[in-house]
Each structure stands twice: as C-alpha cells, then as structure tokens.
Amino acid sequence: MADWRYDYASMGFYTFDCLGWPFSTVPEGGGTVLLDEIAMAVSGAAGVAAIAAAKMGVSTLAVGGVGNDLMGDWVLERIAGFGVDISTLQRIEGSRTSSSIVLTRQDGSRPALHMKGATGDFFVEPSDFDRVTDARVFHLGGVGLMDRMDGAPNAALMKHAKARGCVTTVDVFAGSPADLPDIDAVLPWTDYFMPSIEEAQALSGLQEIGDCVKFFLDRGARACVFTLGEGGAHYGDAQGASFSIPAFDIEVKCTCGCGDAFDAGYAVALCRDFDPETAVRFAQATSALNATGLGSQAGVRSFEHTLEFMQKTPTKRRLAAAE
C-alpha cells in the first residue's frame, strides 16, 4: 500500500453560499419577506466533500481556487477550521470567489443564484500534480465548471493520479450533451463516476438507469454511482454488479450539497475498505444527514454519528413494505 500524505484530496468547485429558509415567494418591488433562518456555508462539489470528509475523520487536502475578496477570506478560514489542508487552495488575484444565494423552500428544494468566479480561473501546473494527488482517494468535483482545467488538463491530472495508485472519483456540474467532452476527457481514469441521475440523463440523452450506466462504462468509467434524490442511489460496475439502495426516511430541511456529501461519504467508505453496498449505504447516510440541516454538510457530525444513523434509521422502502 502506498504511503499517502492524505486520505482524500478534493479538487474543483468551492463556493461561498448564503442561505435563507423557508423561502416561499419573491416580494414585489422593494418589499420584504421574513425568514426564520439565514446561514453561511462553504459549498460546491469539492467544498462540501472536503469538509464532510474531514468531519468524519479523514485527512483531507483542498484543491481549487478562491478570489481575493471577503468571501474568499471566509471560505479559507471556514475550511481550515475543520482541519482541512488549504495549502493548495489557490488565492487568485483579480478573481472573485464563486458564490451563491440559495433560497430554500419548506420542502427542501432550493432555487439558487450563482456567480461562477474562481472555479473557472484556477489551474494546477503539471509540476504540482504529485502534490495534489498525494492521497489515497482523489476526487474531481465540478467537471464542467473548471474552465481552465476542464478537458486536456484534467485528463492529464487524472491519468497521473491513476498512475500513482490513487482511487479516483468524479462528480460533475453538467446540464446537456454539450458538457460531455469534458466528462469524456476524464472517464478513462475514473474509478467511480458519481453524478445525479438527472445529470447522467442530460449528458447521455438516455432515461433508463441501466442504459445510463452502460453509456458511461462504455466510455471508460469502472463504476457508476448515481444519486437518485428521494429514490436513493444506484450502483453499477464493469464487472456486472448492480444494485439500488433506498433513501433514508428523514425530515428534509435543505437539499443543498446532498450529492456532494454523498461523494464525501463514499470516499470515507473507500478509506475504510467498505464493500460496495455498504459504501453506498454509508454515502446515502451522509447525504441524508446533510439534508437535515440548513447549508451544505450542516447535518454531518462525525464518522460514528453517520454510522449509527446508517444502522438505525429506516429507509423509505422498508417503511412502505411494513405498511
């Protein structure tokens, strides 16, 4: 086994979020709607994963970019406060930190306003490839948003990660087949491709889960792990394994970052050598806990808490069967 400096390196989309709950309507003109709660959080496909994994005891390296602004100050301080190594989280002069205003409805859905910012501006030089992939699990989160890294640069980095023995995971920010070239660039070096089913369908143009799995396996991924929202999650790999895990029965507060928390849970499971089905269940538990708080990873506390939640919380399918 390689002697890694970190358990987990999470690269890509880091964003500052300001969230309000519960949101019901936009007031007319200059009117005001009162909210019960306002929160700030570090979010994004890489940011949520980094913090949630660190909360569960995984030594974590953050790789990405923030702007030279107040939001960047807060993001760096917040991430470091969880024990994440921010030495490869670039501060980019002339850029602004990727930021969102998230308005969460009573049912947990959350329309958002987003400014792309430094996620599209950071760049990892080949001379730094060893440094940023010095981890047992290397995660690329937010493919499709990393303007300077998407395509050939990310492909070269992922190839380097696999060559040195990293387990690789990939999540995306994609809405149409036009984003597929950026995904294709990294799939040959991807162990676990982890989009939402909506993203998988948008990229492939297919609807059935099994067809989507085959589509990405045929393009080089070794396994697909799709998040299905309230439907749970689905796993399929190149060896023919295929199964679905139902969602946990919880009271949802905010779905912001649930897929990214799932990525973190799966990484923790990989670091602990869980079998695939247990790994997906643990990732589902991490995602469910995320949904119980306002703001990404707010409901995630520790590995022990997540494991207990996984073992004791009923799933929606089991409840339905019991009724």
Side-chain angles (χ1 to χ4, degrees):
M1 183 181 295
D3 184 18
W4 304 110
R5 183 173 180 181
Y6 305 97
D7 298 316
Y8 189 44
S10 184
M11 172 176 153
F13 184 27
Y14 286 80
T15 182
F16 167 87
D17 279 2
C18 179
L19 306 101
W21 178 90
F23 167 73
S24 57
T25 185
V26 177
E28 293 185 6
T32 298
V33 171
L34 297 179
L35 300 173
D36 292 346
E37 197 172 340
I38 292 177
M40 297 191 301
V42 176
S43 193
V48 175
I51 293 176
K55 280 186 170 185
M56 292 187 286
V58 167
S59 61
T60 302
L61 176 69
V63 186
V66 298
N68 189 20
D69 51 19
L70 289 174
M71 283 79 79
D73 292 342
W74 188 84
V75 166
L76 292 173
E77 180 179 352
R78 183 67 171 166
I79 296 174
F82 290 104
V84 176
D85 187 334
I86 62 171
S87 61
T88 52
L89 198 53
Q90 300 171 16
R91 198 69 184 264
I92 303 173
E93 292 293 333
S95 186
R96 294 175 293 178
T97 301
S98 300
S99 300
S100 299
I101 298 172
V102 182
L103 298 170
T104 302
R105 299 187 181 97
Q106 191 76 48
D107 65 1
S109 62
R110 69 299 183 257
L113 305 173
H114 180 68
M115 181 186 70
K116 193 170 183 179
T119 297
D121 296 333
F122 84 93
F123 187 81
V124 179
E125 297 288 350
S127 58
D128 287 328
F129 280 7
D130 274 345
R131 184 182 180 197
V132 303
T133 61
D134 194 2
R136 181 175 180 182
V137 179
F138 179 78
H139 176 59
L140 195 60
V143 176
L145 280 177
M146 294 176 271
D147 293 349
R148 294 190 65 200
M149 287 300 298
D150 277 331
N154 269 341
L157 178 57
M158 288 286 285
K159 183 178 181 180
H160 184 91
K162 284 308 302 173
R164 71 180 304 184
C166 301
V167 177
T168 56
T169 63
V170 170
D171 201 351
V172 303
F173 192 96
S176 76
D179 299 305
L180 190 57
D182 291 334
I183 312 302
D184 277 343
V186 299
L187 283 179
W189 297 282
T190 299
D191 290 314
Y192 300 96
F193 183 52
M194 307 177 71
S196 68
I197 185 57
E198 293 83 5
E199 289 165 331
Q201 290 167 336
L203 285 166
S204 66
L206 303 170
Q207 291 301 307
E208 295 299 321
I209 293 176
D211 293 339
C212 290
V213 169
K214 184 177 185 303
F215 179 87
F216 294 108
L217 294 182
D218 287 348
R219 302 174 96 85
R222 291 164 180 79
C224 292
V225 192
F226 297 154
T227 54
L228 312 178
E230 65 180 4
H234 182 83
Y235 175 98
D237 66 28
Q239 287 70 49
S242 179
F243 59 85
S244 294
I245 298 292
F248 288 97
D249 190 68
I250 60 167
E251 184 175 342
V252 174
K253 185 165 188 177
C254 179
T255 58
C256 187
C258 282
D260 312 323
F262 183 96
D263 297 340
Y266 204 85
V268 172
L270 289 171
C271 290
R272 289 182 173 264
D273 298 317
F274 288 179
D275 64 84
E277 187 167 343
T278 306
V280 176
R281 281 178 50 78
F282 188 84
Q284 271 294 98
T286 309
S287 179
L289 284 169
N290 178 87
T292 63
L294 180 62
S296 301
Q297 48 71 36
V300 180
R301 300 182 194 171
S302 66
F303 172 78
E304 292 76 15
H305 178 249
T306 305
L307 186 65
E308 181 180 19
F309 176 92
M310 181 186 81
Q311 294 169 338
K312 294 184 177 181
T313 306
T315 62
K316 292 182 177 182
R317 184 179 299 171
R318 288 173 185 163
L319 286 178
E323 292 170 356

